[in-house]
């Protein structure tokens, strides 16, 4: 006889496979990657996180916060305001900037108060982070064709959940699918621009005859 405890791992694996399939379907549903990544952030909460943020690395090197979501929708605006007040320092030795520079993930299964003190910009920033009550954090690079396009940040807080290595693997899979969606959308946009420019050049050449 199989007990509920013995059957739970398979059920969880099926649930994760279904979740990743749903994410893939959503990411491939449109070439508007900004909209699909925003939807992806909503899909990650609360299944994978209490908070989810997605940053995109722009061509000029700036970091664009594309989405911030929380399991309580009313906190989304608050999260954006916090990010606006304390934007990422491009030279920071950890966090999203380092992940964007290195293309390697950061994994904090247990966020200690010492870590918050080290990350805080000032006393008010520290107070806010302590109030949020971070428990675990994963920051995954969005990498396609050897280029880092952005970062996916997953955070647990109120739920008290602590991430494990298996969670990092799932998040990494999700980040790879998101990166592919961004890359495909950009390649399509570039192709459309080239076609438009070629057509314009041909029209100008005909007009000059």
């Amino acid at each position: 006889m199989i007990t509920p405890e013995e059957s739970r791992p398979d059920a969880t694996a099926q649930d994760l496979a279904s979740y990743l399939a749903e994410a893939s379907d959503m990411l491939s549903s449109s070439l508007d990657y900004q909209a699909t990544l925003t939807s992806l952030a909503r899909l990650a909460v609360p299944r994978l996180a209490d908070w989810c943020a997605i940053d995109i690395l722009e061509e000029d090197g700036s970091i664009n916060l594309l989405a911030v979501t929380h399991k309580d929708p009313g906190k989304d605006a608050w999260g954006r305001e916090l990010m606006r007040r304390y934007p990422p320092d491009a030279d920071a030795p950890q966090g999203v900037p380092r992940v964007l520079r290195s293309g390697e993930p950061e994994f904090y299964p247990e966020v200690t108060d010492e870590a918050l003190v080290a990350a805080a910009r000032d006393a008010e920033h520290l107070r806010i982070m302590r109030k949020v009550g971070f428990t675990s954090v994963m920051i995954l690079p969005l990498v396609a064709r050897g280029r880092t396009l952005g970062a996916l940040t997953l955070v647990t807080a109120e739920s008290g959940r602590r991430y494990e290595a298996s969670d990092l693997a799932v998040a990494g899979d999700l980040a790879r699918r998101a990166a592919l969606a961004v890359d495909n959308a950009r390649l399509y946009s570039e192709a459309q621009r080239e076609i438009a420019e070629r057509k314009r050049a041909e029209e100008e050449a005909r007009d000059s005859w």
Side-chain angles (χ1 to χ4, degrees), residues 35-79:
T36 54
L37 288 183
T38 299
S39 298
L40 179 69
R42 295 194 186 101
L43 186 63
V45 176
R47 180 63 186 83
L48 297 180
D50 297 326
W51 287 91
C52 177
I54 298 179
D55 292 273
I56 292 296
L57 185 61
E58 301 294 351
E59 294 295 332
D60 61 2
S62 61
I63 302 173
N64 176 25
L65 178 64
L66 191 62
V68 177
T69 60
H70 184 270
K71 62 180 183 179
D72 176 0
K75 291 188 177 181
D76 288 4
W78 180 82

Side-chain angles (χ1 to χ4, degrees), residues 21-190:
E22 181 181 357
S24 290
D25 289 343
M26 185 190 63
L27 288 168
S28 62
S29 65
S30 170
L31 287 170
D32 182 353
Y33 73 84
Q34 296 186 353
T36 54
L37 288 183
T38 299
S39 298
L40 179 69
R42 295 194 186 101
L43 186 63
V45 176
R47 180 63 186 83
L48 297 180
D50 297 326
W51 287 91
C52 177
I54 298 179
D55 292 273
I56 292 296
L57 185 61
E58 301 294 351
E59 294 295 332
D60 61 2
S62 61
I63 302 173
N64 176 25
L65 178 64
L66 191 62
V68 177
T69 60
H70 184 270
K71 62 180 183 179
D72 176 0
K75 291 188 177 181
D76 288 4
W78 180 82
R80 283 189 171 276
E81 174 62 18
L82 178 61
M83 297 292 191
R84 187 193 67 79
R85 290 176 59 185
Y86 299 100
D89 177 359
D91 298 320
Q94 62 184 12
V96 169
R98 193 201 71 83
V99 169
L100 293 176
R101 291 196 307 268
S102 68
E104 297 294 330
E106 288 190 1
F107 181 38
Y108 303 98
E110 181 76 33
V111 177
T112 65
D113 192 66
E114 289 78 7
L116 296 181
V117 171
R121 302 282 187 85
D122 53 35
E124 176 63 9
H125 193 200
L126 178 60
R127 185 191 69 79
I128 293 173
M129 289 194 295
R130 281 172 170 166
K131 182 178 180 181
V132 171
F134 295 110
T135 302
S136 287
V137 177
M138 296 186 291
I139 309 175
L140 296 304
L142 306 183
V143 180
R145 293 187 296 135
R147 294 180 56 209
T148 301
L149 308 177
L152 168 69
T153 302
L154 299 169
V155 177
T156 61
E158 300 94 333
S159 66
R161 175 181 174 183
R162 283 167 174 75
Y163 289 132
E164 300 176 355
S166 58
D167 297 306
L168 183 63
V170 171
D173 194 342
L174 187 63
R176 284 189 292 274
R177 297 175 193 225
L180 182 61
V182 174
D183 191 49
N184 286 341
R186 287 183 171 178
L187 286 174
Y188 177 79
S189 295
E190 290 172 6

